[in-house]
Amino acid sequence: MKPGLFAAAVLAAIASLAIHVALNCPIDPVQSPPAPTSQYPRNNLLQRLEKLGEGLLNGPEDVYVDAAAGGVVYTATRDGWQHRMNPYNRSWERWRFVGGTGLLGIAKCADGSMLICDAHNKGLLRVGEEAVTLLAASEVEGSTINLPDAVVEASDGTVYFSDASTRFGFDTWFLDFIESRPTGRLLKYDPRTGETSVMLDHLGFANGVALPLDEAFVVVCESARFRCMKVWLKGEKAGQSETFIDNLPGCPDNIRLGSDGYFWIALVQLRSPWLDLITRWSLTKRVLASFPTLLEWSKATTKGAMVAQVSEDGNIIRALDDSEGKVINFVTSVMEHNGDIFLGSPKANFVGKLSL
């Protein structure tokens, strides 16, 4: 090809790309938060886990262990069912049908019912013996509850839950990470009034929610900022927010309080050399987001799983991983019960169990 024709072809390709991006880019990106600098030696201890209910569970994103019931294990899956496992014979049953493909965070209530975040089309649900009740649905303070993600109930019945993004929904959550605009929120549902309010906003993909033993504060994970925030509920700082833990070696997803008073955090390994490169600049982010196939391929370049045990004052005590995701990948939830941890992942067909 002659130099002139080659140059014309290159210019035509660039122009075509520019037009495609201008017409099809779904994001308005800003600079991504700096990547974490914390490093933990790989130990691959998660590769030793036992697979509970393998083949019976379709993408168990969150896991809850009911200590009061002797260790009954609950999870909600992509087929719309809430499952539970008998801890004595390890048999699984389809406990309640909720419906939908976007069941995320779950938590037990004092009255025996379950709270579930339906991120696909419903909202915050209460699942009882007889019926499924919608607690918080479309709006809070005039804006849409777009992506309910994780939930916890306080001893007084108050429910704290996260709205991960006001920009993107369940099927397009990855675009929120690429865009990097902090639109997530921590919400509060008051069962006495039926009102939902915003406790903390401008969060980078608000995710897991947890309370310490004394319920002095509530923690919310910011997956896109590699940190967790806390809002004080009691004392002189009541109503104020501050950083709980920062510079985590992964994107904090769900967080649970363990039986020993420590928190356990699932750290999604949402990084790769390709993603680190492509997300440096707004232009490359726009190009990536404009091609769904390229976006899915980029997501698939990430691998690995990690969980961390964290003290009440926000210090990592230990971290466990499967560095290449050989046994379990993309762990989104972890809960400790009687010296065992239980792991959930939307990419698995089992709940993982590992003795500590």
Side-chain angles (χ1 to χ4, degrees):
M1 182 181 292
K2 294 182 179 181
L5 292 177
F6 178 76
V10 171
L11 289 175
I14 293 174
S16 176
L17 177 62
I19 292 171
H20 177 84
V21 172
L23 295 176
N24 296 283
C25 182
I27 64 173
D28 181 19
V30 294
Q31 185 175 3
S32 295
T37 58
S38 55
Q39 297 289 332
Y40 287 85
R42 295 179 177 181
N43 52 48
N44 289 322
L45 291 175
L46 295 185
Q47 293 182 6
R48 303 178 184 178
L49 61 77
E50 178 184 358
K51 298 179 179 180
L52 303 177
E54 185 174 15
L56 301 176
L57 307 173
N58 179 12
E61 199 269 351
D62 195 13
V63 177
Y64 183 87
V65 184
D66 188 357
V72 175
V73 179
Y74 290 89
T75 188
T77 52
R78 290 293 178 262
D79 53 11
W81 280 92
Q82 185 171 4
H83 302 254
R84 70 179 179 183
M85 187 195 79
N86 184 311
Y88 302 105
N89 59 19
R90 298 193 175 187
S91 62
W92 286 88
E93 65 171 321
R94 288 181 168 183
W95 182 59
R96 293 287 182 271
F97 182 71
V98 182
T101 59
L103 304 182
L104 298 179
I106 61 176
K108 194 73 180 290
C109 298
D111 64 2
S113 62
M114 297 291 293
L115 295 169
I116 297 184
C117 291
D118 184 343
H120 197 264
N121 55 14
K122 294 187 180 71
L124 178 63
L125 309 177
R126 186 186 299 275
V127 181
E129 293 289 341
E130 303 296 331
V132 177
T133 305
L134 182 62
L135 299 183
S138 58
E139 289 191 351
V140 54
E141 298 180 5
S143 63
T144 301
I145 299 176
N146 191 54
L147 186 50
D149 199 319
V151 61
V152 66
E153 183 188 61
S155 57
D156 65 356
T158 301
V159 176
Y160 301 95
F161 67 107
S162 57
D163 184 16
S165 169
T166 60
R167 290 270 293 144
F168 301 99
F170 175 71
D171 295 319
T172 55
W173 65 267
F174 192 55
L175 290 174
D176 192 274
F177 281 84
I178 303 300
E179 185 178 73
S180 298
R181 289 188 178 274
T183 66
R185 301 175 294 183
L186 173 64
L187 307 179
K188 179 176 75 171
Y189 171 77
D190 187 338
R192 291 163 288 276
T193 64
E195 297 293 323
T196 303
S197 57
V198 178
M199 291 194 69
L200 189 64
D201 56 9
H202 300 295
L203 299 174
F205 204 85
N207 213 318
V209 183
L211 294 160
L213 290 172
D214 63 1
E215 300 186 357
F217 56 83
V218 57
V219 178
V220 59
C221 298
E222 280 192 279
S223 298
R225 289 179 170 176
F226 309 102
R227 71 179 185 184
C228 301
M229 299 293 291
K230 69 179 179 181
V231 179
W232 288 97
L233 303 175
K234 301 177 181 178
E236 298 178 354
K237 295 183 179 180
Q240 298 181 30
S241 63
E242 61 187 59
T243 301
F244 174 65
I245 185 170
D246 203 356
N247 195 36
L248 285 163
C251 303
D253 200 294
N254 279 301
I255 179 172
R256 294 283 193 192
L257 181 68
S259 58
D260 55 6
Y262 292 116
F263 293 99
W264 281 88
I265 305 176
L267 298 170
V268 174
Q269 303 301 291
L270 203 60
R271 294 185 61 199
S272 70
W274 164 255
L275 274 178
D276 287 349
L277 174 66
I278 209 74
T279 54
R280 288 183 182 179
W281 305 281
S282 293
L283 177 59
T284 51
K285 285 185 176 187
R286 290 180 184 276
V287 173
L288 175 63
S290 300
F291 293 89
T293 301
L294 180 60
L295 193 69
E296 288 302 310
W297 177 84
S298 299
K299 191 194 304 183
T301 63
T302 63
K303 62 180 180 178
M306 179 179 285
V307 299
Q309 185 183 31
V310 177
S311 64
E312 190 173 317
D313 55 1
N315 291 310
I316 292 182
I317 297 170
R318 56 178 160 176
L320 297 76
D321 74 351
D322 181 346
S323 61
E324 297 182 0
K326 289 183 177 180
V327 177
I328 191 167
N329 193 40
F330 207 82
V331 168
T332 51
S333 66
V334 54
M335 185 169 186
E336 182 271 339
H337 172 69
N338 284 349
D340 298 321
I341 55 172
F342 296 80
L343 312 171
S345 167
K347 295 187 177 182
N349 64 354
F350 59 86
V351 166
K353 178 186 177 183
L354 179 69
S355 175
L356 298 174

